[in-house]
Amino acid sequence: MEERSQGATEYLLMLGIVLTLVASIVASIAITSQTLGSSVSGQIDNIMDNFIIPGLTGMLL
């Protein structure tokens, strides 16, 4: 009976480790995508502020 309980404990321990690894990978992907999204958003805002909007106001005047 002790061998079965030890096997179940080892299985649950390995399952916990795998779930922890998967959670850390998902968290790192989420953080990376947020960082990239804000960087791209900043570049788009920069282009609009420096090139597109001044060009449009020059055309209207």
Side-chain angles (χ1 to χ4, degrees):
M1 190 69 169
E2 288 183 25
E3 290 179 17
R4 286 179 64 181
S5 63
Q6 181 181 358
T9 304
E10 290 174 356
Y11 174 75
L12 289 175
L13 184 63
M14 287 189 297
L15 183 63
I17 291 171
V18 168
L19 289 176
T20 304
L21 286 173
V22 170
S24 65
I25 290 170
V26 169
S28 66
I29 289 172
I31 291 170
T32 303
S33 66
Q34 283 180 338
T35 304
L36 289 175
S38 65
S39 175
V40 170
S41 176
Q43 288 180 355
I44 290 172
D45 289 341
N46 188 21
I47 289 172
M48 286 186 65
D49 290 341
N50 293 330
F51 296 108
I52 297 174
I53 294 175
L56 289 176
T57 55
M59 291 175 61
L60 293 174
L61 297 176

